[in-house]
Structures are given as C-alpha cells and as structure tokens.
Amino acid sequence: MIKPCKTTDPYLAGWRLRVIPSLGHIPVSMISNGAVDRCVYGWIADECGRSTVKNSLAVLVRVMEQAVRDGIIARNPARIVGWQSAYKQAEDELDDPRTLALPNWAALTALASALVARSHGNFAGWGNVVIFMACTAARIGEASGVRVKDIDPVNWIWTVRRQTTPSPGGLADKGTKGKAARRVPLIEEVRPLIAQRLLAVGPDPGARLFTGPRGGRITTAVLRDATHWDAVVSSLGHEKLRRHSLRHTGLTWMADAGVPLHVLRLIAGHGSLLTTQRYLHPDLRAIVAAGRSLSAHLAGAPGPSDPLAATLRVL
C-alpha cells in the first residue's frame, strides 16, 4: 500500500490531497497506467490547476520510481503521456461548456439506451443514472451519493448533500464540492424513473438510489468501463462527450429554457456567477445592437430609445 511520505510543498499537498485519496487503497504492484490516467483526468475534471496536476503527478512518479528500484514493479506506471492535451480539452470545456452538451432529449435517451445495450447483462441502471445526471445537472459522485431521504417526492426536489469520492481505504461519501447542500428540481421527464427507483430500493431512508449491478457505488471510471463509454459515444457521433458532460447538458438546457441566472447558480452550486454565465446562450443580435448603440452615442446621434432627441432633430 502507498504510505504518506515527507516532501516539501507543493508536492506534499499533491500527495496528501490527491494521490493518497485516489490511489492510497491500491497495492503498489497493482497500480497501472490506466489507474494513473483515470486519476489525472479526475483531477482535471475537478478543475485542479495545471501546476497542481503537474506537482501531484510528479510526486507520484518519484514514489513509483523508488518502487521500480526496489524491485516491486518492473516499470513506472506514473510516467504517462498526453495528459496535457486532455487538460487543454478541459480548459476549452470550462471556457465554453455548452459545446459538449447533448443537443436534446432524444440524444440523451439514445445515449442511455446504447450504454445499457453495451453493458454486461444489459443493466438498466446505467441508463437510469445517465438520464438522472443530465436532468439534474449532477456530478457523477453526487448521483452516486443520493439517498432515499434526499428525495422529496411530493414537491419533486432533490437536496444534494453528499458525493462519493475516492479516499484512503476505498470510496467514501463526503460533502458536496461547494461544501453546502443545495436543492435541485426533478423535472417531469425524470420523475417516473425516480419513482421506480424509490419503489425498488424500499423505505430505508439511507438506501442509495443508484448503484451498480452488484450494489456497489458508481464512479466515473466504473460507468465508463462497464458501458464501453468511449466506443458508444464515438458511434453516436459524440466523440468528445465525457461523463461530466452530462452536468453541462443539464445546465445548458436550463439556461436555454430561461432559468434566471441567479437560480441557475443555486442549482449548479457554483461559487462564482461567472462560472454560471458560461452556460448562457450568446444573443448575437443583442450584441450587434449594443455595438451600434454605442457607435451612435459616440457620434452624437440619438439612439432608438431617445424619441425626444429624434423629434428635436427633425424640428
């Protein structure tokens, strides 16, 4: 098992806050390139800065290099390549998250059906959690952490209180990313699915609403591997679609539906209003009109909202 080691900041922070929670429960001999890939992409998805990811990976490389010298492993699995390009993609996504959203409801249900069809035993739960995430703009850890007691089936509100994340010893539930609970509406399209899940899991308030086929907790890596995600999204023409894109889908749809910005921010749990604003559709006509109004103002001509000045010019 990986044990905490002494090093200097900022590497110590990367080791303690990212490497140990992500890989600390896995024996050194079982850490693979794929496991490290998933960790790095997870850090990027969590919006860690480029230097933060680099420092966290650097300390992992040093530790695994020592394991190679000690004869525990034959090669260093932490020496991965290509993560910088993945980080660039994530940066583009953060700048314009609308570009990775699914276009409509039909695209979402087609994706859910295709994922179920590719999974072992055609497990319907994968489709359920995908639809739920898109309709609620939820992170996958939040969808995995939802319990029966979090659902209000009278007012159809989900109170987001926790998320499932990697931690030393395995997966664990902790507070939301924003460190505060938030409420999310459950739209009519997703209510039958939720009602079926509530009936299936029973009255236990602590029961999880969504689990894997064997009752395990769902993570982005589990969903990807169990459904052959990459192959499915490519076959559907959504090559850049990731699990986190389902959250972007929900927020984009809400923005296009006219949900007020301050309400959208509360639903998303964003700390900054600027983050929420990225989901608004740019009205090019309004932007062009604003430019024309400014030009008219600078030229001394009356704008369209100044009828008195226009009348005086005629006189």
Side-chain angles (χ1 to χ4, degrees), residues 13-128:
W15 177 261
R16 178 172 53 87
L17 298 177
R18 279 164 290 280
V19 176
I20 288 296
S22 300
L23 295 171
H25 59 289
I26 304 177
V28 170
S29 60
M30 295 182 64
I31 295 178
S32 63
N33 291 114
V36 177
D37 275 335
R38 289 190 287 271
C39 288
V40 172
Y41 295 154
W43 300 336
I44 293 172
D46 287 340
E47 302 179 16
C48 293
R50 186 185 294 267
S51 61
T52 298
V53 174
K54 183 178 180 180
N55 292 336
S56 301
L57 185 58
V59 70
L60 177 60
V61 168
R62 294 291 296 274
V63 171
M64 299 308 291
E65 196 62 40
Q66 184 62 50
V68 172
R69 289 195 292 269
D70 291 343
I72 298 175
I73 54 178
R75 59 187 179 84
N76 191 335
R79 293 192 178 279
I80 59 173
V81 296
W83 70 270
Q84 294 279 6
S85 61
Y87 200 95
K88 181 60 170 64
Q89 178 181 339
E91 288 176 335
D92 293 341
E93 176 182 340
L94 293 175
D95 289 337
D96 188 7
R98 296 179 57 90
T99 60
L100 294 184
L102 288 167
N104 49 46
W105 177 258
L108 173 61
T109 54
L111 171 64
S113 298
L115 293 171
V116 170
R118 284 297 305 272
S119 68
H120 178 71
N122 300 138
F123 179 59
W126 302 128
N128 290 340

Side-chain angles (χ1 to χ4, degrees), residues 214-239:
R214 297 181 180 179
R217 282 173 280 193
I218 297 173
T219 66
T220 185
V222 168
L223 178 59
R224 180 192 63 189
D225 295 343
T227 62
H228 302 274
W229 177 282
D230 295 336
V232 169
V233 296
S234 295
S235 68
L236 295 175
H238 308 305
E239 290 81 1

